[in-house]
Amino acid sequence: MANQKLLKKWHFLSRLARLGLGLGLLIIVAAGLWFIPAAHAATYVVDRFDDNAGATACTAALNDCSLRGAISAANNNPGADTITLPAGTYTLSGSGDDTNGQGDLDIFANPGGGNLTINGAGASVTIINGPTGNDRIFHIQAPGDTVNISGVTIQNGNAPGYGGGIAISNGALNIANSTIYSNTTAMGGGAIAISGDSALNIVNTTIYSNAATGDHDGGGIYNLSRTVTITGSAIYTNTARDGAGIENNDGTVLITNTTIDDNEASQGGGGIVNWSGAVTIANSAFSNNRAGDGGGGILNETSGTLNIANSALSNNYTTRFGGGIS
C-alpha cells in the first residue's frame, strides 16, 4: 500500500514537472516573440523640392522631407510604405551613386518585406527631372518587392548605362497614369531597361521622345528576358538602332489597347523588334514607324514568336524589307 501511494505521488510530481517545463518554454517563446519588431506601414509626405539627402525625418514639421529623403526613409522602414508627392518640379543632383546619396533615386528591398508606392498629383503637374550629373532617375533594386509609381512625369534622365529614365535590376514595377519623356542612355532602354528577377507593368502611360544613342537598342523600352505588360498606353517618337519603340530580347511582351507611332530605328524594328522572345499584340495600332533596314512597324526574327489580333498596322516604312512586318 505504501509503495502504491509513493508511486502515485511520483506520477503526480512528474506530470507537474512536465507541465511546468511546458509553461516555462511557452513563456520563453512568448518573451522572445515580444521583442520581434512588427512590420508597419508608413506614409511620407514630401514638403520640399530640392534634392536634400538629409531631409529624411518626414514629420509634420515643415521642410524636413525631400523626395530622396523619403525614399531613404522607406528603404529602412519595415512594411509597405507610401510617398505622397505634391505638384511641383523635383530636380535631382549628382551622379554615379548606388546608395541613394546622390544621382539616381535608388530603391532597395524593404528590410521587413513590403512594397513602395509613390503617388504624384498628376503627370502634368508633378515632374521629376533627371540629375544634374550623368545619371538616370530611378534605379529599382528590390528583389521580392513591388514599386508602384503613378501620377508623375519622369524626364531628362541621361545614363551611361542601361535605362535612361528607369533601370529595373530586381523587383517589380507598376507604373500608371504617368509620362516618361526625353530620357537617353548610352546603352539600352532610353526610357526603361529591365533585367534580372523583375517584371514591368505599364498602364495608361505615355513614353515618348526617349533615345538609345549610338549603336544601341530600345529607344523606349529594353527588355532583356523578363515579362513586360503594356495596357492603354502610347509609345511614340523614340529613337534607337534597333527596336526604337521596344526591344524584346528573349522575354515576353504583352501589348493591349496601345498606340505605337512615329518611332524610328536606324536599322530594324521601328515600332518593335523581337529577337527570340514572345510578343502578343491585341487591339492596338502601329503607324508611321520607320526602320532603315527591315520591319518598319515590327521586326520579328525567326526564333521569335509573334501573335497579333484585332490590330492595325498603317503607314509604316522601311528602305528594305517589310514596311509593316518583317
Side-chain angles (χ1 to χ4, degrees), residues 40-46 57-59 65 70 77 80-84 117 119:
H40 61 283
T43 297
Y44 307 99
V45 180
V46 174
C58 296
T59 67
C65 190
N77 182 64
D81 299 310
T82 298
I83 295 173
T84 299
T117 297
N119 289 325

Side-chain angles (χ1 to χ4, degrees), residues 103-131:
D104 56 2
L105 298 167
D106 298 294
I107 300 174
F108 305 119
N110 194 292
N115 306 325
L116 174 63
T117 297
I118 301 174
N119 289 325
S124 63
V125 294
T126 306
I127 298 167
I128 307 173
N129 265 320

Side-chain angles (χ1 to χ4, degrees), residues 33-246:
L33 290 174
W34 177 262
F35 292 103
I36 296 175
H40 61 283
T43 297
Y44 307 99
V45 180
V46 174
D47 59 6
R48 57 191 297 163
F49 299 104
D50 64 347
D51 192 27
N52 189 323
T56 62
C58 296
T59 67
L62 295 177
N63 297 320
D64 70 349
C65 190
S66 67
L67 171 56
R68 187 178 302 280
I71 288 175
S72 290
N75 282 341
N76 291 287
N77 182 64
D81 299 310
T82 298
I83 295 173
T84 299
L85 203 57
T89 299
Y90 303 82
T91 299
L92 308 180
S93 60
S95 65
D97 180 88
D98 271 335
T99 64
N100 200 44
Q102 64 175 0
D104 56 2
L105 298 167
D106 298 294
I107 300 174
F108 305 119
N110 194 292
N115 306 325
L116 174 63
T117 297
I118 301 174
N119 289 325
S124 63
V125 294
T126 306
I127 298 167
I128 307 173
N129 265 320
T132 52
N134 195 28
D135 213 339
R136 65 183 61 83
I137 297 175
F138 284 104
H139 186 189
I140 298 171
Q141 341 174 34
D145 287 347
T146 298
V147 177
N148 304 293
I149 298 175
S150 68
V152 301
T153 288
I154 297 168
Q155 68 179 32
N156 298 328
N158 183 13
Y162 288 97
I166 303 171
I168 312 165
S169 55
N170 273 298
L173 172 63
N174 298 324
I175 185 162
N177 307 314
S178 294
T179 297
I180 306 174
Y181 161 71
S182 191
N183 301 281
T184 61
T185 176
M187 296 187 76
I192 304 174
I194 175 172
S195 62
D197 186 9
S198 309
L200 173 62
N201 183 37
I202 299 169
V203 178
N204 192 32
T205 290
T206 299
I207 298 173
Y208 77 103
S209 296
N210 303 280
T213 61
D215 290 331
H216 296 287
D217 306 335
I221 299 168
Y222 181 91
N223 181 30
L224 183 59
S225 59
R226 301 295 94 195
T227 296
V228 175
T229 302
I230 305 168
T231 306
S233 297
I235 300 173
Y236 62 92
T237 62
N238 302 286
T239 57
R241 179 185 63 177
D242 294 299
I246 302 169

